[in-house]
Amino acid sequence: MPILLLADSLYASEPMMDICWDNGWDFIIRYQTGSISGITEEYEKVPEKGKEGHAEFVNDIDYNGKSVNMLRFWEEKMIKGEAGRTDFQ
């Protein structure tokens, strides 16, 4: 049976990802800045990220010998007459 695990940033850890990889599960984990700094550092090093609308992404980031994909998206809001941006990862 195909499984896709969707988890909060509390589960953004190598042991959790190992469980998914070992069982052949796909997963999407909401990442919060600071959760797994190694992935963020590799993401920031890539000069040309894929872009689509209000999202940018990098595929195949090496994380301790395993491949992860990272997507960052944002929304823009008008706050008291000024445009603002909120980032999500």
Side-chain angles (χ1 to χ4, degrees), residues 54 74-86:
H54 286 194
W74 59 91
E75 58 184 20
E76 295 181 12
K77 299 179 185 179
M78 293 298 290
I79 302 171
K80 295 184 181 179
E82 294 184 25
R85 176 175 155 164
T86 304

Side-chain angles (χ1 to χ4, degrees), residues 45-64:
K45 287 180 186 176
V46 175
E48 294 186 24
K49 297 169 179 62
K51 294 187 180 188
E52 185 68 38
H54 286 194
E56 65 180 22
F57 59 91
V58 174
N59 294 325
D60 299 321
I61 295 173
D62 180 60
Y63 179 64
N64 295 335

Side-chain angles (χ1 to χ4, degrees), residues 36-49:
I36 302 176
S37 59
I39 294 174
T40 303
E41 290 168 8
E42 290 300 316
Y43 179 85
E44 296 299 338
K45 287 180 186 176
V46 175
E48 294 186 24
K49 297 169 179 62

Side-chain angles (χ1 to χ4, degrees), residues 1-72:
M1 172 179 359
I3 293 179
L4 171 63
L5 178 71
L6 177 59
D8 185 84
S9 62
L10 293 172
Y11 297 95
S13 67
E14 187 170 5
M16 183 58 148
M17 289 187 278
D18 283 339
I19 291 169
C20 294
W21 283 315
D22 292 345
N23 288 289
W25 301 341
D26 291 323
F27 59 93
I28 299 172
I29 300 176
R30 165 72 167 90
Y31 173 83
Q32 185 173 12
T33 302
S35 296
I36 302 176
S37 59
I39 294 174
T40 303
E41 290 168 8
E42 290 300 316
Y43 179 85
E44 296 299 338
K45 287 180 186 176
V46 175
E48 294 186 24
K49 297 169 179 62
K51 294 187 180 188
E52 185 68 38
H54 286 194
E56 65 180 22
F57 59 91
V58 174
N59 294 325
D60 299 321
I61 295 173
D62 180 60
Y63 179 64
N64 295 335
K66 305 263 172 97
S67 177
V68 297
N69 303 324
M70 186 167 171
L71 167 73
R72 176 181 286 162

